[in-house]
Coordinates of all heavy atoms in Angstrom, one line a residue:
M1 N 19.3 -143.4 23.9 CA 19.5 -144.6 24.9 C 20.4 -145.6 24.2 O 20.2 -146.0 23.1 CB 18.1 -145.2 25.2 CG 17.3 -144.4 26.2 SD 16.6 -145.4 27.5 CE 15.6 -146.5 26.5
S2 N 21.4 -146.0 25.0 CA 22.3 -147.0 24.4 C 21.7 -148.3 24.2 O 22.2 -149.2 23.5 CB 23.6 -147.1 25.3 OG 23.2 -147.4 26.6
D3 N 20.6 -148.6 24.9 CA 19.8 -149.9 24.7 C 19.4 -150.1 23.3 O 19.1 -151.2 22.9 CB 18.7 -149.9 25.7 CG 19.1 -150.3 27.1 OD1 20.2 -150.6 27.3 OD2 18.2 -150.2 28.0
N4 N 19.2 -149.0 22.6 CA 18.7 -149.1 21.2 C 19.7 -149.5 20.2 O 19.4 -149.9 19.1 CB 18.0 -147.8 20.7 CG 16.8 -147.5 21.5 OD1 16.1 -148.4 22.0 ND2 16.4 -146.3 21.6
Y5 N 21.0 -149.5 20.6 CA 22.1 -149.9 19.8 C 21.8 -151.4 19.3 O 21.6 -152.3 20.2 CB 23.4 -149.8 20.5 CG 24.6 -149.8 19.5 CD1 24.9 -148.7 18.8 CD2 25.3 -151.0 19.4 CE1 26.0 -148.8 17.9 CE2 26.4 -151.1 18.5 CZ 26.7 -150.0 17.8 OH 27.7 -150.0 16.9
P6 N 21.9 -151.7 18.0 CA 21.6 -153.0 17.6 C 22.6 -154.1 18.2 O 23.8 -153.9 18.1 CB 21.7 -153.0 16.1 CG 22.3 -151.7 15.7 CD 22.2 -150.8 16.9
K7 N 22.0 -155.1 18.7 CA 22.9 -156.1 19.3 C 23.3 -157.1 18.2 O 22.6 -157.3 17.3 CB 22.1 -156.9 20.4 CG 21.8 -156.2 21.6 CD 20.9 -157.1 22.5 CE 19.5 -157.1 22.1 NZ 18.6 -157.8 23.0
T8 N 24.5 -157.7 18.4 CA 24.9 -158.7 17.5 C 25.2 -160.0 18.3 O 25.5 -159.9 19.5 CB 26.1 -158.3 16.6 OG1 27.2 -158.0 17.5 CG2 25.8 -157.2 15.7
S9 N 25.1 -161.1 17.6 CA 25.3 -162.4 18.3 C 25.8 -163.3 17.2 O 26.0 -162.9 16.1 CB 24.0 -162.9 18.9 OG 24.3 -164.1 19.6
A10 N 26.0 -164.6 17.6 CA 26.4 -165.6 16.6 C 25.6 -166.9 17.0 O 25.2 -167.1 18.1 CB 27.9 -165.8 16.7
I11 N 25.4 -167.7 16.0 CA 24.8 -169.0 16.2 C 25.9 -170.0 16.7 O 27.0 -170.1 16.1 CB 24.1 -169.6 15.0 CG1 23.0 -168.6 14.6 CG2 23.6 -171.0 15.2 CD1 22.3 -169.0 13.3
E12 N 25.6 -170.7 17.8 CA 26.6 -171.6 18.4 C 26.0 -173.0 18.4 O 24.8 -173.1 18.5 CB 26.8 -171.2 19.8 CG 28.3 -171.0 20.2 CD 28.4 -170.6 21.6 OE1 27.9 -171.3 22.5 OE2 29.0 -169.5 21.9
K13 N 26.8 -174.0 18.2 CA 26.4 -175.4 18.4 C 26.6 -175.8 19.8 O 27.7 -175.4 20.4 CB 27.1 -176.3 17.4 CG 26.3 -176.3 16.1 CD 26.8 -177.5 15.3 CE 26.0 -177.4 14.0 NZ 26.6 -178.3 12.9
N14 N 25.7 -176.5 20.4 CA 25.9 -177.0 21.7 C 25.1 -178.3 22.0 O 24.3 -178.7 21.1 CB 25.4 -175.9 22.7 CG 26.4 -175.8 23.9 OD1 26.9 -176.8 24.4 ND2 26.6 -174.6 24.4
C15 N 25.4 -178.9 23.1 CA 24.7 -180.2 23.4 C 23.7 -180.0 24.5 O 23.8 -179.0 25.3 CB 25.7 -181.2 23.9 SG 25.1 -182.8 24.3
H16 N 22.6 -180.8 24.5 CA 21.6 -180.7 25.5 C 22.1 -181.0 26.9 O 21.6 -180.5 27.9 CB 20.5 -181.8 25.3 CG 19.5 -181.4 24.2 ND1 18.6 -180.4 24.4 CD2 19.3 -181.9 23.0 CE1 17.9 -180.3 23.3 NE2 18.3 -181.2 22.4
D17 N 23.2 -181.8 26.9 CA 23.7 -182.3 28.2 C 24.7 -181.3 28.8 O 25.6 -180.9 28.2 CB 24.4 -183.7 27.9 CG 24.8 -184.4 29.2 OD1 25.4 -183.8 30.1 OD2 24.4 -185.6 29.2
S18 N 24.4 -181.0 30.1 CA 25.3 -179.9 30.7 C 26.7 -180.4 30.9 O 27.6 -179.6 30.9 CB 24.7 -179.4 32.0 OG 24.5 -180.5 32.9
E19 N 26.9 -181.7 31.1 CA 28.3 -182.2 31.2 C 29.1 -182.0 29.9 O 30.2 -181.6 29.9 CB 28.3 -183.7 31.5 CG 28.4 -184.0 33.0 CD 28.5 -185.5 33.3 OE1 29.3 -186.2 32.7 OE2 27.7 -185.9 34.1
C20 N 28.4 -182.2 28.8 CA 29.0 -182.0 27.5 C 29.3 -180.5 27.3 O 30.3 -180.1 26.8 CB 28.2 -182.5 26.3 SG 27.8 -184.3 26.5
T21 N 28.3 -179.7 27.7 CA 28.4 -178.2 27.5 C 29.7 -177.7 28.2 O 30.4 -176.9 27.7 CB 27.2 -177.5 28.2 OG1 26.1 -178.1 27.6 CG2 27.2 -176.0 27.9
E22 N 30.0 -178.3 29.4 CA 31.2 -177.9 30.1 C 32.5 -178.3 29.3 O 33.4 -177.6 29.2 CB 31.3 -178.6 31.5 CG 30.5 -177.9 32.5 CD 30.5 -178.6 33.8 OE1 31.5 -179.3 34.2 OE2 29.4 -178.6 34.5
K23 N 32.4 -179.5 28.7 CA 33.6 -180.0 27.9 C 33.8 -179.1 26.7 O 34.9 -178.8 26.3 CB 33.4 -181.5 27.5 CG 33.5 -182.5 28.7 CD 33.7 -183.9 28.1 CE 33.7 -184.9 29.2 NZ 32.3 -185.4 29.5
I24 N 32.6 -178.8 26.1 CA 32.7 -178.0 24.8 C 33.2 -176.6 25.2 O 34.0 -176.1 24.4 CB 31.2 -177.9 24.2 CG1 30.8 -179.3 23.7 CG2 31.2 -176.9 23.1 CD1 29.3 -179.4 23.5
A25 N 32.9 -176.1 26.3 CA 33.4 -174.7 26.7 C 34.9 -174.7 26.9 O 35.5 -173.7 26.7 CB 32.7 -174.3 28.0
G26 N 35.4 -175.9 27.2 CA 36.9 -176.0 27.5 C 37.7 -176.3 26.2 O 38.9 -176.4 26.3
L27 N 37.1 -176.4 25.1 CA 37.8 -176.7 23.8 C 38.7 -175.5 23.4 O 38.3 -174.3 23.7 CB 36.8 -177.0 22.7 CG 36.0 -178.3 22.8 CD1 35.0 -178.3 21.6 CD2 36.9 -179.5 22.8
T28 N 39.7 -175.7 22.7 CA 40.6 -174.6 22.1 C 39.8 -174.0 21.0 O 38.8 -174.6 20.5 CB 41.9 -175.2 21.6 OG1 41.6 -176.0 20.5 CG2 42.7 -175.9 22.7
S29 N 40.2 -172.8 20.6 CA 39.5 -172.1 19.5 C 39.6 -172.9 18.2 O 38.6 -172.9 17.4 CB 40.0 -170.7 19.3 OG 41.4 -170.7 19.1
E30 N 40.7 -173.6 17.9 CA 40.7 -174.5 16.7 C 39.7 -175.6 16.8 O 39.0 -175.9 15.8 CB 42.1 -175.1 16.6 CG 43.2 -174.2 16.1 CD 43.8 -173.4 17.3 OE1 43.5 -173.8 18.5 OE2 44.6 -172.5 17.1
Q31 N 39.6 -176.2 18.0 CA 38.6 -177.3 18.2 C 37.2 -176.8 18.0 O 36.3 -177.4 17.5 CB 38.8 -177.9 19.5 CG 40.1 -178.8 19.6 CD 40.4 -179.3 21.0 OE1 40.3 -178.6 22.0 NE2 40.7 -180.6 21.1
K32 N 37.0 -175.5 18.5 CA 35.6 -174.9 18.4 C 35.2 -174.7 17.0 O 34.1 -174.8 16.6 CB 35.6 -173.6 19.3 CG 35.3 -173.9 20.7 CD 35.3 -172.6 21.6 CE 35.2 -173.0 23.0 NZ 35.5 -171.8 23.9
D33 N 36.2 -174.2 16.2 CA 36.0 -174.0 14.8 C 35.5 -175.3 14.1 O 34.6 -175.3 13.3 CB 37.3 -173.5 14.0 CG 37.4 -172.0 14.1 OD1 36.4 -171.4 14.5 OD2 38.5 -171.5 13.7
L34 N 36.2 -176.4 14.4 CA 35.8 -177.7 13.9 C 34.4 -178.1 14.4 O 33.6 -178.7 13.7 CB 36.9 -178.7 14.3 CG 36.9 -180.1 13.6 CD1 37.1 -179.9 12.1 CD2 38.0 -180.9 14.1
F35 N 34.2 -177.8 15.7 CA 33.0 -178.2 16.3 C 31.7 -177.7 15.6 O 30.7 -178.3 15.6 CB 33.0 -177.7 17.8 CG 32.0 -178.4 18.7 CD1 32.2 -179.6 19.3 CD2 30.8 -177.8 18.9 CE1 31.3 -180.2 20.1 CE2 29.8 -178.3 19.7 CZ 30.1 -179.6 20.3
K36 N 31.9 -176.5 15.0 CA 30.8 -175.8 14.3 C 30.2 -176.7 13.2 O 29.1 -176.5 12.7 CB 31.2 -174.5 13.8 CG 31.4 -173.4 14.8 CD 31.8 -172.1 14.1 CE 32.4 -171.1 15.1 NZ 33.2 -170.1 14.4
K37 N 31.1 -177.5 12.7 CA 30.7 -178.4 11.5 C 30.1 -179.7 11.9 O 29.6 -180.4 11.1 CB 31.9 -178.6 10.6 CG 32.6 -177.4 10.1 CD 33.8 -177.7 9.2 CE 34.4 -176.4 8.7 NZ 35.8 -176.3 9.2
F38 N 30.2 -180.0 13.2 CA 29.7 -181.3 13.7 C 28.1 -181.3 13.7 O 27.5 -180.3 13.9 CB 30.1 -181.5 15.1 CG 31.6 -181.8 15.3 CD1 32.2 -181.9 16.5 CD2 32.4 -182.0 14.2 CE1 33.6 -182.1 16.7 CE2 33.8 -182.2 14.3 CZ 34.4 -182.3 15.6
T39 N 27.6 -182.5 13.5 CA 26.1 -182.7 13.6 C 25.8 -183.4 14.9 O 24.8 -183.1 15.6 CB 25.6 -183.6 12.5 OG1 26.0 -182.9 11.2 CG2 24.1 -183.7 12.5
Y40 N 26.7 -184.3 15.4 CA 26.4 -185.0 16.6 C 27.5 -184.7 17.7 O 28.6 -184.4 17.3 CB 26.4 -186.5 16.3 CG 25.3 -186.9 15.4 CD1 25.5 -187.0 14.1 CD2 24.0 -187.1 16.0 CE1 24.4 -187.4 13.2 CE2 23.0 -187.4 15.1 CZ 23.2 -187.6 13.8 OH 22.1 -187.9 12.9
C41 N 27.1 -184.8 18.9 CA 28.0 -184.5 20.0 C 29.1 -185.5 20.1 O 28.8 -186.7 20.1 CB 27.2 -184.4 21.3 SG 28.3 -184.1 22.7
P42 N 30.4 -185.1 20.1 CA 31.5 -186.1 20.2 C 31.6 -186.7 21.6 O 32.4 -187.7 21.7 CB 32.7 -185.3 19.9 CG 32.4 -183.9 20.2 CD 30.9 -183.7 20.0
Y43 N 30.8 -186.3 22.5 CA 30.9 -186.8 23.9 C 29.8 -187.8 24.2 O 29.9 -188.6 25.1 CB 31.0 -185.7 24.9 CG 32.1 -184.7 24.7 CD1 31.9 -183.4 24.3 CD2 33.4 -185.2 24.9 CE1 33.0 -182.6 24.0 CE2 34.5 -184.3 24.7 CZ 34.3 -183.0 24.2 OH 35.3 -182.2 24.0
C44 N 28.6 -187.6 23.6 CA 27.5 -188.4 24.0 C 26.7 -188.9 22.8 O 25.7 -189.6 22.9 CB 26.5 -187.7 25.0 SG 25.6 -186.3 24.2
S45 N 27.1 -188.5 21.6 CA 26.5 -188.9 20.3 C 25.1 -188.4 20.1 O 24.4 -188.8 19.1 CB 26.6 -190.4 20.1 OG 25.5 -191.1 20.8
E46 N 24.6 -187.5 20.9 CA 23.3 -186.9 20.7 C 23.4 -185.9 19.6 O 24.5 -185.3 19.4 CB 22.8 -186.2 22.0 CG 22.3 -187.1 23.0 CD 21.0 -187.9 22.6 OE1 20.1 -187.3 22.1 OE2 21.0 -189.1 22.8
E47 N 22.3 -185.6 18.9 CA 22.4 -184.5 17.9 C 22.6 -183.2 18.5 O 21.9 -182.9 19.6 CB 21.1 -184.6 17.0 CG 21.3 -183.8 15.7 CD 20.1 -184.1 14.8 OE1 19.3 -185.1 14.9 OE2 20.0 -183.3 13.8
L48 N 23.5 -182.4 18.0 CA 23.7 -181.1 18.6 C 22.6 -180.1 18.3 O 21.9 -180.2 17.3 CB 25.1 -180.5 18.0 CG 26.3 -181.3 18.4 CD1 27.5 -180.8 17.6 CD2 26.6 -181.1 19.9
I49 N 22.4 -179.1 19.2 CA 21.4 -178.1 19.0 C 22.1 -176.8 18.7 O 23.3 -176.6 18.9 CB 20.6 -177.9 20.3 CG1 21.5 -177.6 21.5 CG2 19.7 -179.1 20.6 CD1 20.7 -177.1 22.8
L50 N 21.3 -175.9 18.1 CA 21.8 -174.5 17.8 C 21.3 -173.6 18.8 O 20.1 -173.6 19.1 CB 21.3 -174.1 16.4 CG 21.8 -175.0 15.2 CD1 21.0 -174.6 14.0 CD2 23.2 -174.9 14.9
I51 N 22.2 -172.7 19.3 CA 21.8 -171.7 20.3 C 22.3 -170.3 19.9 O 23.3 -170.2 19.2 CB 22.2 -172.1 21.7 CG1 23.7 -172.2 21.8 CG2 21.6 -173.4 22.2 CD1 24.2 -172.1 23.2
C52 N 21.6 -169.3 20.4 CA 22.1 -167.9 20.3 C 23.2 -167.7 21.3 O 23.0 -168.0 22.5 CB 20.9 -167.0 20.5 SG 21.4 -165.3 20.6
Q53 N 24.3 -167.1 20.9 CA 25.4 -166.9 21.8 C 25.1 -165.8 22.8 O 25.6 -165.8 23.9 CB 26.6 -166.4 20.9 CG 27.9 -166.7 21.5 CD 29.0 -166.4 20.5 OE1 29.2 -165.3 20.0 NE2 29.8 -167.4 20.1
N54 N 24.2 -164.9 22.4 CA 23.8 -163.8 23.3 C 22.9 -164.2 24.5 O 23.1 -164.0 25.6 CB 23.2 -162.7 22.5 CG 23.0 -161.4 23.3 OD1 23.9 -161.0 24.0 ND2 21.8 -160.9 23.2
C55 N 21.8 -164.9 24.1 CA 20.8 -165.3 25.2 C 20.7 -166.7 25.5 O 20.0 -167.1 26.4 CB 19.4 -164.8 24.7 SG 18.7 -165.6 23.3
R56 N 21.5 -167.6 24.8 CA 21.6 -169.0 25.0 C 20.3 -169.8 24.8 O 20.1 -170.9 25.3 CB 22.1 -169.3 26.5 CG 23.2 -168.5 27.0 CD 24.5 -168.5 26.2 NE 25.2 -169.8 26.2 CZ 26.3 -170.0 25.5 NH1 26.8 -169.0 24.8 NH2 26.9 -171.2 25.6
E57 N 19.4 -169.2 24.0 CA 18.1 -169.9 23.7 C 18.3 -170.7 22.5 O 19.1 -170.4 21.6 CB 17.0 -168.9 23.5 CG 16.5 -168.1 24.7 CD 15.7 -169.0 25.7 OE1 15.3 -170.1 25.3 OE2 15.6 -168.6 26.8
Q58 N 17.5 -171.8 22.4 CA 17.7 -172.7 21.3 C 17.0 -172.2 20.0 O 15.9 -171.6 20.0 CB 17.0 -174.1 21.6 CG 17.4 -175.1 20.6 CD 16.9 -176.5 21.1 OE1 16.6 -176.7 22.2 NE2 16.8 -177.4 20.1
L59 N 17.7 -172.4 18.9 CA 17.2 -172.0 17.6 C 16.8 -173.2 16.7 O 17.5 -174.2 16.8 CB 18.2 -171.2 16.8 CG 18.9 -170.0 17.6 CD1 20.1 -169.5 17.0 CD2 17.9 -168.9 17.8
D60 N 15.7 -173.1 15.9 CA 15.4 -174.3 15.1 C 15.8 -174.2 13.7 O 15.5 -175.1 12.9 CB 13.9 -174.6 15.3 CG 13.0 -173.4 15.0 OD1 13.5 -172.4 14.5 OD2 11.8 -173.5 15.4
S61 N 16.6 -173.1 13.3 CA 17.1 -173.1 11.9 C 18.5 -172.4 11.9 O 18.7 -171.4 12.6 CB 16.1 -172.3 11.1 OG 16.8 -172.0 9.8
P62 N 19.4 -173.0 11.1 CA 20.7 -172.3 11.0 C 20.7 -171.1 10.1 O 21.7 -170.4 9.9 CB 21.6 -173.4 10.5 CG 20.7 -174.3 9.8 CD 19.3 -174.2 10.4
D63 N 19.6 -170.9 9.4 CA 19.5 -169.8 8.4 C 19.0 -168.5 9.0 O 18.9 -167.5 8.2 CB 18.5 -170.3 7.3 CG 19.0 -171.5 6.6 OD1 20.3 -171.7 6.4 OD2 18.2 -172.4 6.2
Y64 N 18.6 -168.5 10.2 CA 18.1 -167.3 10.8 C 19.1 -166.2 10.7 O 20.3 -166.4 10.9 CB 17.7 -167.5 12.3 CG 16.5 -168.3 12.5 CD1 16.2 -168.8 13.8 CD2 15.6 -168.5 11.5 CE1 15.1 -169.6 14.0 CE2 14.4 -169.2 11.7 CZ 14.2 -169.8 12.9 OH 13.1 -170.5 13.2
R65 N 18.7 -165.0 10.5 CA 19.6 -163.8 10.4 C 19.5 -163.0 11.7 O 20.4 -162.2 12.1 CB 19.3 -162.9 9.2 CG 19.4 -163.7 7.9 CD 19.5 -162.8 6.7 NE 20.6 -161.8 6.8 CZ 20.5 -160.6 6.4 NH1 19.5 -160.2 5.7 NH2 21.6 -159.8 6.5
F66 N 18.4 -163.2 12.4 CA 18.2 -162.5 13.7 C 17.7 -163.5 14.7 O 17.0 -164.5 14.4 CB 17.2 -161.4 13.6 CG 17.6 -160.3 12.7 CD1 17.3 -160.3 11.4 CD2 18.3 -159.2 13.2 CE1 17.7 -159.3 10.5 CE2 18.7 -158.1 12.4 CZ 18.4 -158.2 11.1
C67 N 18.0 -163.3 16.0 CA 17.6 -164.2 17.0 C 16.1 -163.9 17.3 O 15.7 -162.8 17.6 CB 18.4 -164.0 18.3 SG 17.8 -165.0 19.6
P68 N 15.2 -164.9 17.3 CA 13.8 -164.7 17.5 C 13.5 -164.5 19.0 O 12.5 -164.0 19.4 CB 13.1 -166.0 17.1 CG 14.2 -167.0 17.1 CD 15.5 -166.3 16.9
W69 N 14.5 -164.7 19.9 CA 14.3 -164.6 21.3 C 14.8 -163.2 21.9 O 14.2 -162.6 22.7 CB 15.0 -165.7 22.1 CG 14.7 -167.1 21.6 CD1 15.5 -167.9 20.8 CD2 13.4 -167.7 21.7 NE1 14.8 -169.0 20.5 CE2 13.6 -169.0 21.1 CE3 12.3 -167.4 22.4 CZ2 12.5 -169.9 21.0 CZ3 11.2 -168.3 22.4 CH2 11.4 -169.6 21.7
C70 N 16.0 -162.8 21.4 CA 16.6 -161.5 21.9 C 16.7 -160.5 20.9 O 17.1 -159.3 21.2 CB 17.9 -161.8 22.6 SG 19.2 -162.3 21.5
G71 N 16.5 -160.8 19.6 CA 16.5 -159.8 18.6 C 17.9 -159.4 18.1 O 18.1 -158.5 17.2
A72 N 18.9 -160.1 18.6 CA 20.3 -159.8 18.1 C 20.5 -160.3 16.7 O 19.9 -161.2 16.2 CB 21.3 -160.5 19.0
R73 N 21.3 -159.5 15.9 CA 21.6 -159.9 14.6 C 22.8 -160.9 14.6 O 23.8 -160.6 15.2 CB 22.0 -158.7 13.7 CG 22.2 -158.9 12.3 CD 22.3 -157.6 11.5 NE 23.5 -156.9 11.9 CZ 24.7 -157.0 11.2 NH1 24.8 -157.8 10.2 NH2 25.8 -156.4 11.6
F74 N 22.7 -162.0 13.8 CA 23.8 -162.9 13.7 C 24.8 -162.5 12.7 O 24.5 -162.2 11.6 CB 23.2 -164.3 13.4 CG 22.3 -164.9 14.4 CD1 21.1 -165.4 14.1 CD2 22.7 -164.9 15.7 CE1 20.3 -165.9 15.0 CE2 21.9 -165.5 16.7 CZ 20.6 -166.0 16.3
V75 N 26.1 -162.4 13.1 CA 27.1 -162.1 12.2 C 28.1 -163.2 12.2 O 28.4 -163.9 13.2 CB 27.9 -160.8 12.7 CG1 27.0 -159.6 12.4 CG2 28.3 -160.8 14.1
E76 N 28.7 -163.4 11.0 CA 29.7 -164.4 10.8 C 31.0 -163.9 11.5 O 31.2 -162.7 11.6 CB 30.1 -164.7 9.4 CG 28.9 -165.2 8.6 CD 28.5 -166.6 9.0 OE1 29.5 -167.4 9.3 OE2 27.4 -167.0 8.9
D77 N 31.8 -164.8 12.0 CA 33.1 -164.4 12.7 C 33.9 -163.4 11.9 O 34.4 -162.4 12.3 CB 33.9 -165.6 13.1 CG 33.3 -166.4 14.2 OD1 32.3 -165.8 14.8 OD2 33.7 -167.5 14.4
D78 N 34.0 -163.7 10.6 CA 34.9 -162.9 9.7 C 34.2 -161.6 9.2 O 34.8 -160.8 8.7 CB 35.4 -163.7 8.5 CG 34.4 -164.8 8.0 OD1 33.7 -165.3 8.9 OD2 34.3 -165.0 6.8
E79 N 32.9 -161.5 9.5 CA 32.2 -160.3 9.1 C 32.2 -159.3 10.2 O 32.0 -158.1 9.9 CB 30.7 -160.8 8.9 CG 29.8 -159.8 8.1 CD 28.4 -160.2 8.2 OE1 28.1 -161.4 8.0 OE2 27.5 -159.4 8.5
E80 N 32.6 -159.7 11.4 CA 32.5 -158.8 12.6 C 33.4 -157.6 12.5 O 33.0 -156.6 13.1 CB 32.7 -159.7 13.8 CG 31.8 -159.3 14.9 CD 31.7 -160.4 16.0 OE1 32.1 -161.6 15.7 OE2 31.1 -160.2 17.0
K81 N 34.6 -157.8 12.0 CA 35.5 -156.7 12.0 C 35.4 -155.7 10.9 O 34.5 -155.0 10.7 CB 37.0 -157.2 11.9 CG 37.1 -158.4 10.9 CD 38.6 -158.8 10.8 CE 38.7 -160.3 10.9 NZ 38.3 -161.1 9.8
Ligands
ZN101 ZN1 26.7 -184.3 24.4
ZN102 ZN1 19.3 -164.5 21.3

């Protein structure tokens, strides 16, 4: 079954506010790289949250190697190829 194939994902930073989420989604890839280092949202100054790119659920640690919600393995961008 192809469902058993291990899923991979990445940890993404995002804002609680859906208006900011839209702005963040429209950033260029260079801006998104920089965004990963941010602690606070540049649009509303709230602290950013960490989410799983695969299931969009919130994570409470940046050190997780697997998503506790969907089981996907987190890979670094440069590790993926
Ligand atoms: Zn925000
Ligand atoms: Zn997940």
Side-chain angles (χ1 to χ4, degrees):
M1 283 226 300
S2 58
D3 279 352
N4 290 335
Y5 195 79
K7 288 177 287 186
T8 56
S9 182
I11 297 178
E12 232 180 56
K13 272 194 180 166
N14 222 323
C15 182
H16 281 289
D17 194 306
S18 60
E19 264 184 51
C20 301
T21 305
E22 278 174 36
K23 291 197 182 87
I24 293 161
L27 294 176
T28 65
S29 53
E30 287 85 9
Q31 287 172 317
K32 279 179 184 163
D33 272 351
L34 192 60
F35 195 86
K36 286 181 197 162
K37 300 178 182 120
F38 292 171
T39 304
Y40 295 95
C41 178
Y43 302 111
C44 70
S45 83
E46 286 295 314
E47 198 167 343
L48 293 168
I49 54 165
L50 299 168
I51 59 162
C52 168
Q53 210 171 58
N54 189 47
C55 65
R56 320 300 294 179
E57 290 289 344
Q58 192 173 341
L59 307 166
D60 50 13
S61 166
D63 300 322
Y64 288 164
R65 300 195 57 212
F66 295 89
C67 176
W69 308 107
C70 70
R73 185 171 67 93
F74 294 130
V75 288
E76 298 291 327
D77 289 346
D78 33 325
E79 194 190 315
E80 219 157 351
K81 35 178 136 73

